[in-house]
mmCIF file of all heavy atoms in Angstrom:
data_model
loop_
_atom_site.group_PDB
_atom_site.id
_atom_site.type_symbol
_atom_site.label_atom_id
_atom_site.label_comp_id
_atom_site.label_asym_id
_atom_site.label_seq_id
_atom_site.Cartn_x
_atom_site.Cartn_y
_atom_site.Cartn_z
ATOM 1 N N GLN A 25 114.462 91.116 230.085
ATOM 2 C CA GLN A 25 115.636 92.009 230.069
ATOM 3 C C GLN A 25 115.735 92.763 228.786
ATOM 4 O O GLN A 25 116.162 93.883 228.722
ATOM 5 C CB GLN A 25 116.938 91.076 230.246
ATOM 6 C CG GLN A 25 118.172 91.922 230.344
ATOM 7 C CD GLN A 25 119.300 91.111 230.589
ATOM 8 O OE1 GLN A 25 119.379 89.875 230.186
ATOM 9 N NE2 GLN A 25 120.418 91.643 231.130
ATOM 10 N N ALA A 27 113.331 93.916 227.063
ATOM 11 C CA ALA A 27 112.316 94.966 227.090
ATOM 12 C C ALA A 27 112.559 96.073 228.034
ATOM 13 O O ALA A 27 112.066 97.136 227.936
ATOM 14 C CB ALA A 27 110.867 94.374 227.288
ATOM 15 N N SER A 28 113.447 95.842 229.063
ATOM 16 C CA SER A 28 113.659 96.787 230.055
ATOM 17 C C SER A 28 114.688 97.916 229.615
ATOM 18 O O SER A 28 115.558 97.639 228.682
ATOM 19 C CB SER A 28 114.339 96.097 231.295
ATOM 20 O OG SER A 28 115.548 95.530 231.077
ATOM 21 N N CYS A 29 114.625 99.049 230.183
ATOM 22 C CA CYS A 29 115.521 100.194 229.860
ATOM 23 C C CYS A 29 116.744 100.096 230.651
ATOM 24 O O CYS A 29 116.754 99.800 231.878
ATOM 25 C CB CYS A 29 114.705 101.444 229.985
ATOM 26 S SG CYS A 29 113.563 101.763 228.733
ATOM 27 N N ILE A 30 117.844 100.522 230.089
ATOM 28 C CA ILE A 30 119.217 100.508 230.817
ATOM 29 C C ILE A 30 119.478 101.997 231.023
ATOM 30 O O ILE A 30 119.432 102.893 230.137
ATOM 31 C CB ILE A 30 120.162 99.862 229.957
ATOM 32 C CG1 ILE A 30 119.851 98.456 229.565
ATOM 33 C CG2 ILE A 30 121.520 99.874 230.579
ATOM 34 C CD1 ILE A 30 120.607 97.792 228.466
ATOM 35 N N PRO A 31 119.817 102.403 232.228
ATOM 36 C CA PRO A 31 120.168 103.719 232.558
ATOM 37 C C PRO A 31 121.378 104.218 231.818
ATOM 38 O O PRO A 31 122.332 103.456 231.378
ATOM 39 C CB PRO A 31 120.408 103.790 234.027
ATOM 40 C CG PRO A 31 120.451 102.430 234.490
ATOM 41 C CD PRO A 31 119.989 101.513 233.318
ATOM 42 N N PRO A 32 121.410 105.556 231.362
ATOM 43 C CA PRO A 32 122.536 106.151 230.592
ATOM 44 C C PRO A 32 123.931 105.854 231.085
ATOM 45 O O PRO A 32 124.838 105.580 230.439
ATOM 46 C CB PRO A 32 122.331 107.556 230.621
ATOM 47 C CG PRO A 32 120.858 107.727 230.961
ATOM 48 C CD PRO A 32 120.380 106.609 231.791
ATOM 49 N N GLU A 33 124.057 105.875 232.499
ATOM 50 C CA GLU A 33 125.412 105.624 233.094
ATOM 51 C C GLU A 33 125.854 104.227 232.786
ATOM 52 O O GLU A 33 127.037 104.015 232.551
ATOM 53 C CB GLU A 33 125.260 105.738 234.632
ATOM 54 C CG GLU A 33 124.828 107.163 235.097
ATOM 55 C CD GLU A 33 123.356 107.307 235.118
ATOM 56 O OE1 GLU A 33 122.517 106.376 235.146
ATOM 57 O OE2 GLU A 33 122.886 108.431 234.880
ATOM 58 N N GLN A 34 124.957 103.291 232.834
ATOM 59 C CA GLN A 34 125.302 101.878 232.533
ATOM 60 C C GLN A 34 125.690 101.787 231.101
ATOM 61 O O GLN A 34 126.553 101.060 230.588
ATOM 62 C CB GLN A 34 124.130 100.845 232.924
ATOM 63 C CG GLN A 34 124.507 99.466 232.563
ATOM 64 C CD GLN A 34 125.671 98.867 233.437
ATOM 65 O OE1 GLN A 34 125.734 99.075 234.557
ATOM 66 N NE2 GLN A 34 126.501 98.168 232.723
ATOM 67 N N LEU A 35 124.820 102.384 230.153
ATOM 68 C CA LEU A 35 125.139 102.371 228.746
ATOM 69 C C LEU A 35 126.520 102.935 228.400
ATOM 70 O O LEU A 35 127.337 102.355 227.657
ATOM 71 C CB LEU A 35 124.121 103.187 228.000
ATOM 72 C CG LEU A 35 122.646 102.670 228.129
ATOM 73 C CD1 LEU A 35 121.776 103.752 227.503
ATOM 74 C CD2 LEU A 35 122.563 101.287 227.331
ATOM 75 N N LYS A 36 126.909 104.053 229.173
ATOM 76 C CA LYS A 36 128.309 104.565 228.960
ATOM 77 C C LYS A 36 129.384 103.584 229.437
ATOM 78 O O LYS A 36 130.513 103.515 228.634
ATOM 79 C CB LYS A 36 128.364 105.854 229.621
ATOM 80 C CG LYS A 36 127.496 106.978 228.993
ATOM 81 C CD LYS A 36 127.545 108.291 229.772
ATOM 82 C CE LYS A 36 126.560 109.305 229.195
ATOM 83 N NZ LYS A 36 126.604 110.558 229.811
ATOM 84 N N GLU A 37 129.093 102.987 230.478
ATOM 85 C CA GLU A 37 130.087 101.898 231.031
ATOM 86 C C GLU A 37 130.146 100.765 229.930
ATOM 87 O O GLU A 37 131.198 100.290 229.683
ATOM 88 C CB GLU A 37 129.591 101.384 232.285
ATOM 89 C CG GLU A 37 129.760 102.331 233.456
ATOM 90 C CD GLU A 37 129.314 101.706 234.731
ATOM 91 O OE1 GLU A 37 129.092 100.499 234.836
ATOM 92 O OE2 GLU A 37 129.048 102.493 235.682
ATOM 93 N N ASP A 38 129.046 100.438 229.359
ATOM 94 C CA ASP A 38 129.099 99.347 228.321
ATOM 95 C C ASP A 38 129.805 99.775 227.062
ATOM 96 O O ASP A 38 130.564 99.079 226.472
ATOM 97 C CB ASP A 38 127.629 99.013 227.873
ATOM 98 C CG ASP A 38 126.881 98.265 229.079
ATOM 99 O OD1 ASP A 38 127.571 97.820 229.949
ATOM 100 O OD2 ASP A 38 125.687 98.117 228.963
ATOM 101 N N VAL A 39 129.718 101.057 226.648
ATOM 102 C CA VAL A 39 130.513 101.601 225.623
ATOM 103 C C VAL A 39 132.027 101.533 225.832
ATOM 104 O O VAL A 39 132.752 101.043 225.061
ATOM 105 C CB VAL A 39 130.036 103.038 225.205
ATOM 106 C CG1 VAL A 39 131.027 103.623 224.256
ATOM 107 C CG2 VAL A 39 128.576 103.109 224.735
ATOM 108 N N LYS A 70 128.964 108.224 223.282
ATOM 109 C CA LYS A 70 128.658 108.464 224.790
ATOM 110 C C LYS A 70 127.983 109.724 225.166
ATOM 111 O O LYS A 70 127.165 109.855 226.010
ATOM 112 C CB LYS A 70 130.004 108.389 225.603
ATOM 113 C CG LYS A 70 130.549 106.948 225.745
ATOM 114 C CD LYS A 70 131.843 106.811 226.273
ATOM 115 C CE LYS A 70 132.120 107.599 227.555
ATOM 116 N NZ LYS A 70 133.446 107.344 228.114
ATOM 117 N N THR A 72 125.640 111.165 223.313
ATOM 118 C CA THR A 72 124.218 110.985 222.867
ATOM 119 C C THR A 72 123.445 110.050 223.861
ATOM 120 O O THR A 72 122.211 110.083 223.802
ATOM 121 C CB THR A 72 124.117 110.294 221.527
ATOM 122 O OG1 THR A 72 124.572 108.909 221.545
ATOM 123 C CG2 THR A 72 124.931 111.108 220.417
ATOM 124 N N LEU A 73 124.167 109.442 224.764
ATOM 125 C CA LEU A 73 123.516 108.562 225.786
ATOM 126 C C LEU A 73 123.139 109.456 226.927
ATOM 127 O O LEU A 73 123.696 109.356 227.971
ATOM 128 C CB LEU A 73 124.327 107.406 226.236
ATOM 129 C CG LEU A 73 124.848 106.515 225.006
ATOM 130 C CD1 LEU A 73 125.912 105.528 225.526
ATOM 131 C CD2 LEU A 73 123.675 105.815 224.384
ATOM 132 N N THR A 74 121.939 110.033 226.827
ATOM 133 C CA THR A 74 121.391 110.897 227.899
ATOM 134 C C THR A 74 120.098 110.419 228.482
ATOM 135 O O THR A 74 119.656 110.892 229.540
ATOM 136 C CB THR A 74 121.036 112.306 227.377
ATOM 137 O OG1 THR A 74 120.201 112.205 226.227
ATOM 138 C CG2 THR A 74 122.418 112.896 226.825
ATOM 139 N N GLU A 75 119.530 109.331 228.034
ATOM 140 C CA GLU A 75 118.253 108.770 228.537
ATOM 141 C C GLU A 75 118.336 107.282 228.423
ATOM 142 O O GLU A 75 118.927 106.755 227.687
ATOM 143 C CB GLU A 75 117.056 109.339 227.823
ATOM 144 C CG GLU A 75 117.011 109.067 226.412
ATOM 145 C CD GLU A 75 115.914 109.796 225.598
ATOM 146 O OE1 GLU A 75 115.734 111.093 225.811
ATOM 147 O OE2 GLU A 75 115.199 109.172 225.018
ATOM 148 N N PRO A 76 117.478 106.655 229.355
ATOM 149 C CA PRO A 76 117.583 105.157 229.270
ATOM 150 C C PRO A 76 117.096 104.614 227.925
ATOM 151 O O PRO A 76 116.251 105.124 227.260
ATOM 152 C CB PRO A 76 116.547 104.820 230.412
ATOM 153 C CG PRO A 76 116.396 105.915 231.286
ATOM 154 C CD PRO A 76 116.687 107.111 230.378
ATOM 155 N N LEU A 77 117.700 103.472 227.506
ATOM 156 C CA LEU A 77 117.435 102.688 226.265
ATOM 157 C C LEU A 77 117.202 101.353 226.504
ATOM 158 O O LEU A 77 117.724 100.669 227.386
ATOM 159 C CB LEU A 77 118.665 102.981 225.245
ATOM 160 C CG LEU A 77 119.044 104.397 224.858
ATOM 161 C CD1 LEU A 77 120.236 104.314 223.989
ATOM 162 C CD2 LEU A 77 117.851 105.125 224.176
ATOM 163 N N THR A 78 116.459 100.733 225.607
ATOM 164 C CA THR A 78 116.375 99.315 225.594
ATOM 165 C C THR A 78 117.611 98.746 224.864
ATOM 166 O O THR A 78 118.295 99.422 224.180
ATOM 167 C CB THR A 78 115.047 98.827 224.819
ATOM 168 O OG1 THR A 78 115.269 99.207 223.440
ATOM 169 C CG2 THR A 78 113.909 99.351 225.453
ATOM 170 N N PRO A 79 117.836 97.505 225.124
ATOM 171 C CA PRO A 79 119.057 96.915 224.303
ATOM 172 C C PRO A 79 118.963 97.099 222.935
ATOM 173 O O PRO A 79 119.909 97.271 222.204
ATOM 174 C CB PRO A 79 118.925 95.318 224.756
ATOM 175 C CG PRO A 79 118.385 95.442 226.179
ATOM 176 C CD PRO A 79 117.319 96.474 226.136
ATOM 177 N N GLN A 81 117.451 99.533 221.183
ATOM 178 C CA GLN A 81 117.831 100.955 220.900
ATOM 179 C C GLN A 81 119.273 101.092 221.065
ATOM 180 O O GLN A 81 119.882 101.921 220.187
ATOM 181 C CB GLN A 81 117.055 101.885 221.882
ATOM 182 C CG GLN A 81 115.490 101.882 221.690
ATOM 183 C CD GLN A 81 114.828 102.578 222.726
ATOM 184 O OE1 GLN A 81 115.135 102.533 223.875
ATOM 185 N NE2 GLN A 81 113.772 103.330 222.365
ATOM 186 N N PHE A 82 119.877 100.555 221.974
ATOM 187 C CA PHE A 82 121.344 100.755 222.263
ATOM 188 C C PHE A 82 122.094 100.097 221.078
ATOM 189 O O PHE A 82 123.084 100.635 220.690
ATOM 190 C CB PHE A 82 121.700 100.123 223.634
ATOM 191 C CG PHE A 82 123.232 100.268 223.838
ATOM 192 C CD1 PHE A 82 123.875 101.415 223.998
ATOM 193 C CD2 PHE A 82 123.953 99.103 224.123
ATOM 194 C CE1 PHE A 82 125.256 101.491 224.293
ATOM 195 C CE2 PHE A 82 125.269 99.160 224.383
ATOM 196 C CZ PHE A 82 125.907 100.374 224.465
#
Side-chain angles (χ1 to χ4, degrees):
Q25 183 181 24
S28 66
C29 287
I30 305 166
E33 302 79 30
Q34 180 64 46
L35 294 170
K36 290 176 184 179
E37 287 178 18
D38 290 347
V39 169
K70 285 173 45 177
T72 67
L73 300 173
T74 57
E75 57 189 53
L77 300 174
T78 65
Q81 292 169 322
F82 181 58

